[in-house]
Amino acid sequence: MMLACLVAALLQVGALPNAEPRRVAPALAFPEAGLDDTAAYQGYETRLYRDAANNTVQVYLDRHSGRVVELLADALDESVGFTVRSGVRAARIDWAARHATVSDSASTRTLTWWLGARAHAVTVGFFLLGTMRVERDFQYAKAELRPFDAPPFVIAPESALVAHIANLSGAEQQRQLTMLHASSVAELESRIGAVPTARQSDTTWTVVINQPALDGQTRLRLELEGDARQSRAAVSGHLVTITARGSAPLRIAVRVTTDAPALTPLTRQQIFNPGFLSFVARAHAAAHGAATSPSMVRARRLDREVTSVELLSSNEKLMAGLPNFATYFGRDGMMTALMMRPIWHPAMSARVIASVLRKLGPRGDVSHEEALGGQAIREHAQVYDSLMTVYEQHGAGADSALAAARDVLGRLRRVRENYHMMDDEFQLPVLEARYLADTGVPPASKRAFLLGTENGASRLALMMRELGLVSLETKAYAGDPRAENLVGFEKLDSTHWRSASWRDSNAGYGNGRFAMDINAIWAPEALQSIATILRQLGALGLGAAALDSLVPDSIHAPLRDWLRDTTSLVHAIDVWRGARRHFVVQFDSAQIASRVDKKLASLPAAERGYWDRVLVRTGAARDSLDFLALSLDSAGAPIPIVNTDPATDLFLSDVTARIITGASPESGVMRDVAPFVRPYPVGLFIAGLGPVVSNDAYASPSVWDAFRQDAYHSPRVVWGREVNLLLLGLTKQIAAAYDSQGKLVQPGLATYVRSLRSALNRTLAAVTASHLEHNELWSYRIANGTLLPTRYGTSSDVQLWSATDLAVQYTLSTLPR
């Protein structure tokens, strides 16, 4: 009896393999009746399951294209995808069962679910097994819409790597094959674009694709299976045809098996603090009536968002979003940690800081994104290809290139980091300062955290390395506050600047060089945070003498001077607080009317007519408009794009300090809030949708064209992250106007607070009416004179920083009435 109990307990925590399949219901599904607008999803549906190791597995059906994708959000960010067609059109696909089954063995995990197709016969093709990053690129290229006889989608670096090895001879070829665990070039070639095979018994047919990784160290296996008495399957090259034997819809079992390492999920008790969990419990206790009653909808939505965070959280990392970003993203983790502080367990901030410090570059650069598994192989293959090209061109005279190529080949799946982004360098000190200043974390815990290690270096040493980089990047402007000394993007090509902050699409910053969010918000906030960090470290017994030795000797960072005397740091903070003056844009009503008219004239007739009616109805163009430009061009001139980035400043700024000292917050705060509630196409606000992330009406036609081609950060979308920053910022500003008894600290603040509450309520009403507010981002279309919210095509269904709506809901509940 005791042995049976022990085995059962071990099975429950995953310490022993469980080969027996067990049924599991979806942890989440989108769209969900009563919570989502099904029409806005335009035929897209998804379900998220937990596999035998409690790792997240997401399956989605895109009925527009017939694409079916299964994401395995494990330690390698894997995916399996295929396209189902009836003739030349997307097949009418659907779920054939609600549940799935999961099982595991000593080294593999399997999930099986059932796909239905309402057709007599379907053709399945465009099989793609590997990393989700390749699936993402496949769909970005619209490759799933091409004819099945189109040229195959090729991972070019991997194909080139195989070709280079095929060109080698003798011992060198064998040496490199051995490094990839391959016995021959033919075996290596078989790992690129595996081909389906079929087998059949009296009762069952099965189509199998085995896909080893290029280095042979891990494998994915896809099986499509059906009842041979009801349908039959045939394989021809890379295509599979499945034909019904009768009139019933096709029913296909989809089974995916992986031997990739699993992650270690966190529970909600490890993620959220007791106060927030009690808040959720109270919402459930108060829920009553039908499933669509307001109290039930609120409880269901809270539970869905809590589950979303659980699905993204593991001991190893916080994933940015599913399905497209199932891995570490530094910015996403840090922004979420900042926004979730009211509801997260304090240990979560420490987890995020540690994960960022662990991945710092040699100079202290913060990693934006990790490339692991198949994506790491793809990126390393590209490096290998360039080295082998040098060797092939120069022969024996390039032995060093050959040696370097071998070194890359031997570490083909080593995790690679992307250090291209710039805003994250300034976000880390802000998060560190707030963690170190948190009175709820015992000093002993803070000290133990700082003296703990990542990759052989103390976290404190890594922290000082990164702070030194921030002090260097802000040095030029602190010494000479001209626009050209601001923190600027690097060149992308001869005519474009790289978008190296959160709006990281090529069109994101209107081809500006100096981003407002970095220079007017994050840089001054980072410097203020460094002052807080140094003060808190001193209180922990880690003074200047101990810290000086941790600043890298290879650079002369102002941080060294700040350790000895903070006078120059205070000066730098004051100078950088004035950087926003470079971004100020002001238009009178005549200028607004002229520019908006020109922009509307560029739109299709239906859209132009819709927005003309909005202008007449709202009178939005009657008054002047002040805003902070999204960016500056290379000459330091503002690129006049209205944007949501001031929401970050509302969220971060210490309005309490200004009120306590008697300074008036009204003018600055309301100036920043005004564009959010000014109706589009003058401002950002769209009723029934929310504040769009940008408005390019005042910019040049070249900016209009860029956003038209790349809508990811354009006036066509609302971002959940920006909505939540705005709502958290507004609640913070409102709360700061009240004392502990719920009374205004200054009677003259009443009008100001009413204006903030109006902005808060209008925004909440608009995004709630969209029925898409849980999404990473959402868009709209105009049909028959009506604006219809729609799901954005590449939007994540579960997004880490979109789940910060939980912090919004909690903080709203604490506001004085």
Side-chain angles (χ1 to χ4, degrees):
M1 181 69 176
M2 289 180 62
L3 179 61
C5 292
L6 176 61
V7 170
L10 289 171
L11 284 171
Q12 185 175 7
V13 300
L16 287 179
N18 179 14
E20 289 298 319
R22 58 184 174 86
R23 287 167 58 112
V24 294
L28 289 178
F30 300 94
E32 185 177 349
L35 296 184
D36 304 304
D37 180 0
T38 303
Y41 278 73
Q42 301 181 81
Y44 175 94
E45 283 193 39
T46 188
R47 292 175 177 176
L48 295 96
Y49 297 94
R50 293 279 204 179
D51 70 10
N54 275 331
N55 280 206
T56 304
V57 178
Q58 178 175 4
V59 181
Y60 70 78
L61 312 180
D62 184 347
R63 294 185 178 86
H64 172 69
S65 64
R67 191 70 179 167
V68 177
V69 176
E70 178 172 330
L71 161 74
L72 292 81
D74 53 26
L76 295 185
D77 184 20
E78 300 177 297
S79 69
V80 170
F82 53 86
T83 297
V84 187
R85 291 181 182 162
S86 177
V88 296
R89 299 178 181 272
R92 298 169 64 193
I93 53 177
D94 209 340
W95 313 98
R98 183 174 183 273
H99 72 278
T101 66
V102 299
S103 62
D104 62 342
S105 68
S107 60
T108 64
R109 303 184 309 283
T110 299
L111 183 136
T112 305
W113 59 278
W114 284 266
L115 176 69
R118 285 172 287 173
H120 176 69
V122 297
T123 303
V124 187
F126 290 153
F127 293 98
L128 200 57
L129 288 72
T131 170
M132 185 63 197
R133 287 283 298 275
V134 172
E135 177 66 37
R136 196 171 88 190
D137 290 349
F138 178 78
Q139 295 193 38
Y140 283 172
K142 306 292 185 185
E144 79 278 17
L145 302 177
R146 297 171 184 168
F148 274 151
D149 59 0
F153 184 80
V154 175
I155 304 174
E158 295 191 7
S159 297
L161 182 149
V162 174
H164 283 302
I165 293 179
N167 287 336
L168 295 171
S169 59
E172 183 59 37
Q173 183 184 84
Q174 190 56 50
R175 178 177 185 174
Q176 295 199 18
L177 287 170
T178 300
M179 295 174 76
L180 295 175
H181 308 92
S183 60
S184 65
V185 172
E187 181 182 348
L188 202 57
E189 289 173 337
S190 71
R191 296 175 183 173
I192 297 178
V195 177
T197 60
R199 63 174 185 264
Q200 183 163 334
S201 68
D202 292 339
T203 58
T204 305
W205 59 259
T206 306
V207 173
V208 179
I209 298 180
N210 283 303
Q211 180 65 69
L214 187 63
D215 64 356
Q217 293 191 40
T218 53
R219 286 169 173 76
L220 273 170
R221 178 183 175 93
L222 168 66
E223 296 172 84
L224 304 178
E225 191 172 274
D227 188 329
R229 295 160 295 189
Q230 298 181 358
S231 60
R232 61 182 181 272
V235 173
S236 176
H238 288 83
L239 299 177
V240 177
T241 301
I242 303 170
T243 307
R245 295 186 185 276
S247 59
L250 291 168
R251 189 174 192 270
I252 305 161
V254 181
R255 181 177 301 112
V256 175
T257 301
T258 180
D259 60 1
L263 298 173
T264 311
L266 298 176
T267 66
R268 62 181 59 186
Q269 287 73 25
Q270 292 173 293
I271 298 168
F272 298 103
N273 63 39
F276 174 73
L277 292 175
S278 296
F279 165 75
V280 174
R282 289 194 300 273
H284 276 280
H288 62 278
T292 55
S293 69
S295 61
M296 287 295 292
V297 167
R298 182 168 184 261
R300 290 169 61 197
R301 191 175 297 283
L302 281 172
D303 197 56
R304 181 165 79 172
E305 291 183 346
V306 168
T307 301
S308 295
V309 177
E310 288 182 291
L311 293 172
L312 294 167
S313 302
S314 68
N315 190 55
E316 293 81 2
K317 70 182 76 176
L318 300 182
M319 293 178 284
L322 307 174
N324 292 320
F325 308 109
T327 189
Y328 162 96
F329 279 73
R331 175 194 301 128
D332 299 59
M334 289 187 289
M335 286 299 300
T336 302
L338 285 167
M339 297 165 74
M340 293 285 238
R341 288 188 71 248
I343 66 173
W344 261 11
H345 192 288
M348 290 298 290
S349 289
R351 286 181 189 277
V352 173
I353 294 169
S355 70
V356 176
L357 294 175
R358 188 181 309 137
K359 292 174 171 290
L360 286 185
R363 293 192 322 139
D365 299 87
V366 169
S367 171
H368 166 59
E369 177 185 9
E370 65 182 1
L372 67 169
Q375 180 61 20
I377 290 173
R378 178 165 65 155
E379 293 184 14
H380 280 120
Q382 192 166 6
V383 177
Y384 169 90
D385 297 339
S386 63
L387 291 167
M388 288 300 293
T389 298
V390 172
Y391 173 72
E392 290 168 358
Q393 289 174 348
H394 299 282
D399 284 346
S400 61
L402 177 61
R406 288 192 202 118
D407 182 63
V408 171
L409 204 63
R411 298 183 293 171
L412 208 56
R413 63 172 55 222
R414 177 173 54 87
V415 176
R416 289 172 59 88
E417 308 295 344
N418 174 341
Y419 296 111
H420 292 159
M421 294 294 120
M422 302 180 73
D423 56 332
D424 42 19
E425 267 82 65
F426 300 96
Q427 291 161 358
L428 181 56
V430 179
L431 179 59
E432 291 168 337
R434 297 189 181 205
Y435 170 73
L436 291 174
D438 188 345
T439 57
V441 181
S445 297
K446 296 174 186 175
R447 188 178 173 89
F449 172 76
L450 292 167
L451 299 180
T453 61
E454 302 291 344
N455 300 323
S458 74
R459 296 190 186 107
L460 180 59
L462 294 169
M463 182 185 296
M464 296 306 293
R465 181 196 302 174
E466 200 272 339
L467 297 183
L469 177 61
V470 172
S471 73
L472 273 176
E473 291 182 335
T474 55
K475 179 180 179 180
Y477 187 81
D480 184 6
R482 293 179 292 121
E484 49 267 47
N485 284 335
L486 292 167
V487 177
F489 295 151
E490 296 180 354
K491 274 292 186 79
L492 181 64
D493 54 41
S494 61
T495 58
H496 296 88
W497 299 96
R498 181 190 296 275
S499 295
S501 190
W502 86 269
R503 298 170 184 261
D504 51 3
S505 59
N506 287 337
Y509 286 88
N511 198 28
R513 181 184 179 189
F514 305 103
M516 184 273 289
D517 66 322
I518 291 178
N519 289 285
I521 301 173
W522 285 112
E525 196 67 35
L527 292 175
Q528 185 67 60
S529 296
I530 290 175
T532 300
I533 290 168
L534 297 182
R535 188 165 57 250
Q536 293 295 327
L537 291 178
L540 293 172
L542 302 167
L547 299 177
D548 186 75
S549 62
L550 300 178
V551 181
D553 294 327
S554 57
I555 56 175
H556 181 68
L559 180 61
R560 285 190 184 280
D561 299 328
W562 300 346
L563 291 173
R564 301 183 186 93
D565 182 0
T566 58
T567 303
S568 57
L569 173 56
V570 172
H571 172 74
I573 294 169
D574 289 341
V575 170
W576 271 96
R577 288 291 182 202
R580 60 187 287 142
R581 75 180 189 277
H582 300 289
F583 299 88
V584 173
V585 175
Q586 298 174 318
F587 289 123
D588 61 28
S589 58
Q591 291 170 310
I592 290 172
S594 173
R595 297 197 180 210
V596 170
D597 284 350
K598 289 177 181 176
K599 172 61 191 290
L600 295 187
S602 73
L603 299 179
E607 293 199 19
R608 182 168 65 249
Y610 179 85
W611 295 119
D612 279 337
R613 290 191 294 275
V614 169
L615 287 173
V616 171
R617 185 175 68 251
T618 64
R622 282 197 292 261
D623 298 322
S624 60
L625 179 67
D626 295 1
F627 61 92
L628 294 176
L630 182 62
S631 61
L632 308 180
D633 64 21
S634 56
I639 297 175
I641 300 172
V642 192
N643 62 91
T644 54
D645 287 350
T648 300
D649 200 30
L650 288 173
F651 168 69
L652 293 174
S653 63
D654 191 356
V655 67
T656 306
R658 293 204 299 272
I659 292 177
I660 290 172
T661 57
S664 172
E666 292 99 323
S667 59
V669 169
M670 293 314 301
R671 181 186 62 239
D672 288 347
V673 170
F676 287 94
V677 294
R678 191 81 169 265
Y680 184 83
V682 174
L684 300 170
F685 183 81
I686 298 180
L689 190 78
V692 289
V693 76
S694 62
N695 179 356
D696 60 1
Y698 311 102
S700 66
S702 65
V703 173
W704 306 345
D705 292 340
F707 276 136
R708 191 175 295 118
Q709 295 172 36
D710 188 347
Y712 198 47
H713 297 102
S714 77
R716 300 291 306 196
V717 297
V718 177
W719 274 74
R721 159 201 147 122
E722 295 296 277
V723 169
N724 293 341
L725 279 168
L726 174 63
L727 296 175
L728 287 171
L730 289 170
T731 56
K732 179 179 180 179
Q733 307 295 324
I734 293 168
Y738 291 89
D739 61 21
S740 59
Q741 304 302 313
K743 297 180 179 179
L744 290 174
V745 296
Q746 296 175 14
L749 293 173
T751 301
Y752 165 69
V753 170
R754 279 197 298 272
S755 297
L756 292 178
R757 287 188 185 273
S758 174
L760 179 72
N761 293 333
R762 286 186 68 192
T763 304
L764 281 169
V767 299
T768 301
S770 76
H771 298 289
L772 291 164
E773 67 268 36
H774 68 274
N775 279 17
E776 177 192 14
L777 66 162
W778 56 97
S779 186
Y780 67 88
R781 58 191 173 93
I782 293 172
N784 300 319
T786 303
L787 186 142
L788 302 173
T790 58
R791 180 182 179 275
Y792 190 81
T794 58
S795 172
S796 293
D797 300 297
V798 174
Q799 183 79 13
L800 191 61
W801 61 24
S802 297
T804 55
D805 174 65
L806 292 169
V808 172
Q809 298 303 316
Y810 179 76
T811 54
L812 284 173
S813 73
T814 65
L815 276 184
R817 299 295 178 187

